[in-house]
């Protein structure tokens, strides 16, 4: 509601196939709001290239706080694999 749309309008699994570019889905394996099964379904509905990273022990938020080193490694790896070479210099 605070963002101006209802939860009925928020159905990413129905629209993720329209996304252009590489998709990285990060999920907390212990998330009770967006379950791991829901994140896996979202991943399956996405077009390639795509990656799914499930963080063991994490819940719905604060993935960086839960595992900062692994977070940085996985994000930078994903960027290095999917950004144009000229764009990589600005993030590394």
């Amino acid at each position: 509601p605070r963002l101006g749309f209802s939860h009925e309008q928020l159905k990413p699994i129905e629209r993720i196939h329209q996304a252009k570019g590489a998709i990285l889905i990060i999920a907390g394996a212990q998330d009770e709001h967006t379950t791991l099964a829901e994140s896996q379904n979202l991943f399956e509905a996405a077009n390639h290239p795509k990656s799914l990273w499930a963080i063991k022990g994490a819940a719905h938020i604060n993935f960086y706080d839960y595992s900062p080193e692994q977070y940085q490694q996985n994000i930078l790896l994903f960027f290095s694999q999917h950004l144009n070479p000229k764009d990589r210099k600005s993030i590394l």
Side-chain angles (χ1 to χ4, degrees), residues 14-20 47:
E14 293 179 7
R15 302 212 192 265
I16 196 166
H17 71 278
Q18 297 171 340
K20 306 233 186 299
N47 293 321

Side-chain angles (χ1 to χ4, degrees), residues 1 8 15 24 28 35 40 52 57 62 66 68 75 79 81:
E8 288 88 16
R15 302 212 192 265
L24 172 60
T35 66
Q40 290 168 329
L52 171 64
N62 298 333
Y66 193 83
I75 297 296
F79 284 167
Q81 292 173 340

Side-chain angles (χ1 to χ4, degrees), residues 22 49 51 74-84 88 91:
S51 295
N74 286 354
I75 297 296
L76 289 175
L77 176 62
F78 183 82
F79 284 167
S80 72
Q81 292 173 340
H82 297 290
L83 289 179
N84 291 326
R88 289 183 198 166
I91 65 160

Side-chain angles (χ1 to χ4, degrees), residues 61-78:
I61 58 172
N62 298 333
F63 299 139
Y64 179 83
D65 292 337
Y66 193 83
S67 183
E69 289 180 22
Q70 188 178 18
Y71 185 91
Q72 289 177 14
Q73 289 173 352
N74 286 354
I75 297 296
L76 289 175
L77 176 62
F78 183 82

Side-chain angles (χ1 to χ4, degrees), residues 28-58:
Q30 305 309 122
D31 191 339
E32 295 178 7
H33 298 285
T34 303
T35 66
L36 185 54
E38 290 170 327
S39 295
Q40 290 168 329
N41 289 338
L42 185 63
F43 174 76
E44 291 300 320
N47 293 321
H48 289 277
K50 60 185 177 179
S51 295
L52 171 64
W53 175 33
I55 302 174
K56 293 179 182 176

